[in-house]
Amino acid sequence: PQYIRHLHNLATALQGSGDLDAAGPLYREALAQYQRVLGPGHRETLYATSNLGRLLEDRGRFDDAEQLYTSALAATRKAHPEPHVDVGNLLSDMGRLALARKQYTQAEQRLPEALQIYGATLPPDHGYTDAALTMLGRTLLELNRPKDAEATLQRALNGWSKQFGTASPWYALARAFLGRAWAMQGRFAEAEPALLESYPVLLRARMEQHHTASVRRWIEDLYRATGRPQQAQAYFQQVDAEQRAERNP
């Protein structure tokens, strides 16, 4: 297993550096070896499954990722007939995949399933729970249910605050989603600081580009809705200047 862990860790490092072409074959080799040595339901096998699935998602190979998750879920449910966190993690992966594919109804089914298992197997406000709540909140926004999203995102925000503090990018992401929920309800005074204060944190953390692009678009929407479209450009120019100053002190 030590050699397999080395392969897996190398693949993870390559993925983190953006070299997806090199990471993919290493993940596949590590996963095949884990399945052979440890079995399909083992925790390390599932960790490799999740990472390979995320890489496939990043490359737009959604069908391949879904097939990988579906097979792993069947094996894991067979290995753990009672509620188990590994089953919850795969359901969360599948919910994230459905969200990426804009299959929002399917995401709304998968993520509560994951949350139910997390509630039975994890301590309150665990990071897995907070991540699933954040994704569910985003799903509800896409389904045009901002009031439901608000309640879900408030739970996520409380959890992220307890786990990592209010300066963390995950807190900022949930807060930005909450800001969008408020804006969709016409509560612009609450939405504005949530969106404007979260956006620079997400940029600084190099959060996934699709998240930062969405938050930027929501800020533009908010300024238009409040009759101040010209202020959006000034805000983004200020943020860009601050980011450059941080990179080049």
Side-chain angles (χ1 to χ4, degrees):
Q2 192 60 40
Y3 167 71
I4 309 173
R5 292 189 191 103
H6 174 72
L7 276 179
H8 185 249
N9 291 339
L10 180 57
T12 302
L14 289 167
Q15 184 179 16
S17 70
D19 192 351
L20 304 186
D21 288 337
L26 294 178
Y27 271 140
R28 290 186 182 281
E29 176 64 18
L31 179 58
Q33 293 295 334
Y34 275 139
Q35 289 173 333
R36 181 180 63 82
V37 175
L38 300 176
H42 191 276
R43 174 68 56 85
E44 292 195 63
T45 305
L46 295 174
Y47 186 42
T49 298
S50 182
N51 282 342
L52 177 57
R54 190 60 181 265
L55 182 144
L56 292 170
E57 289 178 48
D58 289 344
R59 305 202 68 170
R61 296 172 56 183
F62 297 138
D63 289 342
D64 291 339
E66 183 173 11
Q67 184 177 1
L68 185 70
Y69 292 146
T70 300
S71 176
L73 181 63
T76 306
R77 278 183 160 152
K78 183 177 180 180
H80 304 290
E82 298 298 321
H84 195 280
V85 65
D86 290 340
V87 175
N89 287 341
L90 284 165
L91 288 167
S92 185
D93 286 338
M94 296 177 81
R96 185 189 64 242
L97 174 62
L99 180 57
R101 301 182 80 169
K102 300 183 179 182
Q103 297 174 342
Y104 304 124
T105 301
Q106 185 174 339
E108 190 186 8
Q109 293 171 349
R110 293 297 191 184
L111 292 167
E113 287 184 79
L115 286 165
Q116 185 176 9
I117 291 173
Y118 289 155
T121 57
L122 295 174
D125 300 316
H126 192 280
Y128 290 168
T129 302
D130 299 332
L133 285 168
T134 303
M135 288 189 289
L136 179 58
R138 177 63 189 269
T139 300
L140 294 169
L141 290 177
E142 297 295 345
L143 289 168
N144 199 30
R145 289 160 54 190
K147 192 66 178 177
D148 293 337
E150 179 184 356
T152 299
L153 291 165
Q154 286 283 15
R155 287 180 58 197
L157 207 62
N158 291 336
W160 288 126
S161 176
K162 292 175 184 177
Q163 286 290 318
F164 301 111
T166 59
S168 77
W170 298 109
Y171 179 92
L173 186 63
R175 190 182 180 208
F177 291 172
L178 181 59
R180 176 59 173 174
W182 285 332
M184 291 172 69
Q185 298 175 72
R187 294 160 58 182
F188 299 120
E190 296 166 274
E192 186 168 347
L195 289 167
L196 269 58
E197 293 170 14
S198 298
Y199 181 67
V201 179
L202 300 176
L203 286 178
R204 196 175 299 118
R206 298 184 179 180
M207 188 63 73
E208 288 104 321
Q209 194 273 335
H210 67 277
H211 286 319
T212 55
S214 293
V215 176
R216 185 183 182 99
R217 185 176 67 253
W218 296 340
I219 291 170
E220 293 170 344
D221 289 347
L222 182 143
Y223 277 124
R224 279 194 297 268
T226 55
R228 300 171 293 155
Q230 71 285 354
Q231 290 190 24
Q233 183 177 1
Y235 166 76
F236 292 124
Q237 287 175 345
Q238 177 185 344
V239 170
D240 290 344
E242 291 171 354
Q243 296 281 314
R244 286 195 300 272
E246 290 177 8
R247 290 192 297 267
N248 302 290

